[in-house]
Amino acid sequence: MPDSSPLELIRLSDEEQSVSLRIIGGMSFSGTDQCDALHAEIVVGTGFVSGRVELYLNAYDLDSWAEVLEAVAAGRKATWLESGRSPRIMIDPTEETESGCTEVSVCDVAGSQVFVTVPIVNQPDWGAHRRLLAAVRIRFQLERCPPGPGHAAVRR
C-alpha cells in the first residue's frame, strides 16, 4: 500500500515563524494510474499572521524548484512558480535584507492576492531541501506531459 502521509518539500523556519510546502498526494488528471500532478499546500505561520493556500505542482515545477535551490544556495534571490496559475514563492537569502534575515515571501496571485513576507532568522540548510526534493521525486514519479501552449517548460 502506497504511503499517503504528507511529505514536505519546503521547510523554512526559526523558533517563531515558518513557511512550508507540503505535498498532500499525487493526482491523475489523465485517467491513468500514473501521477501527473501533486496536490500541495503552502502553510505560513507567524505570531502575527497564519494561513494556507492549496496548489498543484507538475514535474516541470519540481525541475524549477531544483534551479531555485541552486540560486539561493549561491546567495542569489529567486522566485518559484511565476506562471500566474498558482501562488508564487520568493526567497531572498542575502544578509542585505532590511531584516538581516533570509526573507521568504508568498503571494497568492491566483486567488486572494495576499502578499506576505516572513523573515527567517536561521540560515536555511539548502542541502536538506535538495534531499526533500529527492524524497518527493522518489515517492511521486510524475508523468511528463508535453507542455501545452503558453506553458514555459524548464530547459536544461
Side-chain angles (χ1 to χ4, degrees):
M1 176 156 127
D3 186 355
S4 62
S5 61
L7 187 61
E8 282 190 331
L9 178 62
I10 300 172
R11 179 71 178 163
L12 299 165
S13 64
D14 58 27
E15 293 75 28
E16 297 180 15
Q17 30 207 35
S18 66
V19 175
S20 63
L21 187 143
R22 297 179 332 142
I23 306 299
I24 298 168
M27 306 292 292
S28 176
F29 296 110
S30 59
T32 67
D33 290 338
Q34 181 77 30
C35 291
D36 45 26
L38 299 177
H39 181 208
E41 66 180 355
I42 299 170
V43 180
V44 175
T46 76
F48 179 68
V49 64
S50 296
R52 63 180 285 284
V53 61
E54 292 186 33
L55 66 153
Y56 292 90
L57 303 172
N58 61 37
Y60 301 104
D61 294 328
L62 296 182
D63 292 344
S64 177
W65 177 238
E67 292 174 4
V68 166
L69 286 174
E70 293 304 315
V72 294
R76 296 187 312 268
K77 295 179 188 181
T79 300
W80 186 46
L81 302 173
E82 295 183 90
S83 70
R85 66 174 167 78
S86 65
R88 182 176 301 144
I89 297 176
M90 293 142 290
I91 302 172
D92 186 349
T94 63
E95 294 177 1
E96 291 84 35
T97 61
E98 187 175 319
S99 67
C101 305
T102 295
E103 292 184 349
V104 183
S105 300
V106 177
C107 182
D108 182 17
V109 295
S112 67
Q113 302 294 307
V114 170
F115 183 95
V116 63
T117 298
V118 179
I120 305 294
V121 174
N122 299 339
Q123 179 60 36
D125 179 351
W126 302 117
H129 280 86
R130 288 184 193 100
R131 291 187 292 278
L132 291 173
L133 173 58
V136 167
R137 285 182 163 164
I138 288 168
R139 187 186 303 174
F140 302 101
Q141 297 181 12
L142 293 175
E143 181 82 20
R144 288 187 181 271
C145 301
H151 185 284
V154 175
R155 304 201 195 291
R156 293 187 182 240

